[in-house]
Amino acid sequence: MSKRAYNFNAGPAAVPLEVLQRAQAEFVDYHGTGMSIMEMSHRGAVYEEVHNEAQSRLLGLFGNPEGYKVLFLQGGASTQFAMLPMNLLTEGKSAGYVKTGSWANKAIAEAKLIGDTFVAASSEEDQYKSVPDLSNLQLPENTAYLHVTSNETIEGTQFSSFPDTGSVPLVVDMSSDILSRSFNLKDFGLIYAGAQKNLGPSGVTVVIAREELIQNSPKHIPTVLRYDTHTKNNSLYNTPPSFSIYMVNQVLKWIEEQGSLEGIEAKNREKAKLLYHTIDNSGGFYRGFANPDSRSIMNVTFRLQSEELEKQFVKASEQEGFVGLKGHRSVGGLRASIYNAVSYDHIKALVDFMGEFQKKNG
């Protein structure tokens, strides 16, 4: 095998090498069927076993709490921005949103097209360099749900904890940090996440929800956009992204092998600590974007003294085999996305490169 890249892409992102190798071994002939998993009918017993196993394995990582359902949908988190209020923002209700950056803003914009919304908290005045304190939120009685974006990939901020919303369902977009750390699923009404960062390849979106929230969708919305359609049909109402779901199942197996969520979290914090230490101890050559108390352990955003120097950094890094270190086009700067599949050794290689670059350009 040729040398693999140091992959710091924000998404689609790195997939564990062990998972890729297992998928490669089964790609042409899955378990003696003479077919690839992507060639099979989604109505067949072989594929349904994979489908159901992935659902069960995902809930198992959270301790199998009662009353929760896993859906495999399509359209990415961007479709959930609309599907969520279509299903839960009913007449007479208002949806609360926490405004923390680029992805939260997209979710708010879609919800406003559907029904009444309000901003429950915001870090806009801080240029989205932090996440707001949600410990003392006062939500109106008619609040349909409170929506939080747990991790902003573009700004590099992340909530370290989540509010107790009482009887109001807490809904969280976890696209960029799902399964990166431990949490109690019972604290949430609904979680959704595109798979292409920590769960597998692009093509499938995971929704984990309390069953009562997704059992009775409004009758006036299109059938394929109703949560209850997919709940009643075990996410097999239409042809699912079967190969992507197979890959999710393989990634979930790999997470179990890493010590489940506790083991993954310990590794992620160790990786982030090393990278942030390098930034903070560079004498100002590298400058972190997010406030220290709101820093993401998934997306590390930083700047140099000038855009020209940042361009030099990106060019030099690419020559050394590093991929994806250019910041998002909307904000510029630099960003290292260090999702579950990015190894500590790759972080070490990055900080060594950063040290050499500083020596040459500092």
Side-chain angles (χ1 to χ4, degrees), residues 23 26-30 33-41 243:
E26 296 180 335
F27 187 73
V28 174
D29 183 4
Y30 179 74
T33 61
M35 294 180 288
S36 170
I37 196 79
M38 67 169 59
E39 299 176 282
M40 296 179 186
S41 168
F243 188 75

Side-chain angles (χ1 to χ4, degrees), residues 171-232:
V171 173
V172 181
D173 174 3
M174 285 194 180
S175 292
S176 52
D177 65 349
I178 192 170
L179 302 186
S180 68
R181 54 183 173 167
S182 301
F183 61 83
N184 187 352
L185 184 59
K186 293 181 180 179
D187 293 339
F188 301 86
L190 185 149
I191 292 167
Y192 65 92
Q196 66 273 13
K197 303 176 189 294
N198 266 341
L199 284 170
S202 58
V204 60
T205 304
V206 171
V207 173
I208 311 172
R210 289 186 198 142
E211 292 186 43
E212 66 264 24
L213 287 179
I214 56 175
Q215 284 180 335
N216 295 295
S217 302
K219 308 303 181 188
H220 65 275
I221 61 177
T223 305
V224 77
L225 295 175
R226 292 170 52 171
Y227 285 136
D228 63 358
T229 297
H230 302 285
T231 301
K232 293 169 184 174

Side-chain angles (χ1 to χ4, degrees), residues 118-138:
F118 67 94
V119 174
S122 175
S123 56
E124 185 175 13
E125 290 186 0
D126 193 30
Q127 298 179 302
Y128 301 126
K129 291 183 178 181
S130 63
V131 295
D133 180 9
L134 304 181
S135 59
N136 295 308
L137 276 182
Q138 299 295 320

Side-chain angles (χ1 to χ4, degrees), residues 53-320:
E53 186 177 289
Q55 292 174 328
S56 177
R57 182 166 271 118
L58 183 53
L59 285 180
L61 286 169
F62 296 111
N64 290 308
E66 292 185 4
Y68 282 82
K69 179 76 175 177
V70 172
L71 303 179
F72 293 132
L73 305 178
Q74 298 173 65
S78 295
T79 296
Q80 291 307 304
F81 294 162
M83 193 168 172
L84 173 70
M86 281 183 173
N87 283 264
L88 301 188
L89 183 48
T90 53
E91 188 174 353
K93 294 283 189 176
S94 183
Y97 279 76
V98 179
K99 193 174 185 180
T100 48
S102 302
W103 293 110
N105 287 340
K106 289 179 183 291
I108 293 168
E110 291 297 292
K112 286 182 176 179
L113 299 175
I114 308 301
D116 186 49
T117 67
F118 67 94
V119 174
S122 175
S123 56
E124 185 175 13
E125 290 186 0
D126 193 30
Q127 298 179 302
Y128 301 126
K129 291 183 178 181
S130 63
V131 295
D133 180 9
L134 304 181
S135 59
N136 295 308
L137 276 182
Q138 299 295 320
L139 299 173
E141 290 186 6
N142 69 332
T143 302
Y145 57 84
L146 177 71
H147 181 282
V148 176
T149 305
S150 61
N151 184 82
E152 288 282 2
T153 61
I154 295 175
E155 292 79 10
T157 60
Q158 183 180 36
F159 282 94
S160 60
S161 61
F162 297 94
D164 179 358
T165 53
S167 60
V168 175
L170 177 60
V171 173
V172 181
D173 174 3
M174 285 194 180
S175 292
S176 52
D177 65 349
I178 192 170
L179 302 186
S180 68
R181 54 183 173 167
S182 301
F183 61 83
N184 187 352
L185 184 59
K186 293 181 180 179
D187 293 339
F188 301 86
L190 185 149
I191 292 167
Y192 65 92
Q196 66 273 13
K197 303 176 189 294
N198 266 341
L199 284 170
S202 58
V204 60
T205 304
V206 171
V207 173
I208 311 172
R210 289 186 198 142
E211 292 186 43
E212 66 264 24
L213 287 179
I214 56 175
Q215 284 180 335
N216 295 295
S217 302
K219 308 303 181 188
H220 65 275
I221 61 177
T223 305
V224 77
L225 295 175
R226 292 170 52 171
Y227 285 136
D228 63 358
T229 297
H230 302 285
T231 301
K232 293 169 184 174
N233 289 278
N234 193 33
S235 301
L236 295 167
Y237 171 74
N238 60 332
T239 306
S242 54
F243 188 75
S244 292
I245 294 169
Y246 158 82
M247 288 294 289
V248 166
N249 192 39
Q250 294 295 327
V251 170
L252 296 176
K253 289 180 186 177
W254 177 82
I255 290 174
E256 292 173 346
E257 293 164 0
Q258 307 310 304
S260 295
L261 297 186
E262 293 79 6
I264 282 288
E265 180 174 1
K267 292 178 181 180
N268 285 333
R269 294 197 181 281
E270 185 180 20
K271 293 185 306 185
K273 181 180 179 180
L274 175 61
L275 187 47
Y276 282 122
H277 177 81
T278 299
I279 292 169
D280 293 340
N281 289 273
S282 66
F285 185 79
Y286 298 107
R287 294 174 289 111
F289 176 80
N291 291 348
D293 62 354
S294 297
R295 283 173 165 175
S296 169
I297 63 170
M298 294 282 95
N299 307 97
V300 178
T301 51
F302 57 103
R303 303 300 301 255
L304 294 177
Q305 284 83 353
S306 68
E307 290 186 12
E308 183 58 36
L309 195 56
E310 290 169 354
K311 290 178 182 178
Q312 291 179 33
F313 180 94
V314 171
K315 183 177 181 180
S317 70
E318 290 174 346
Q319 292 172 347
E320 296 297 322

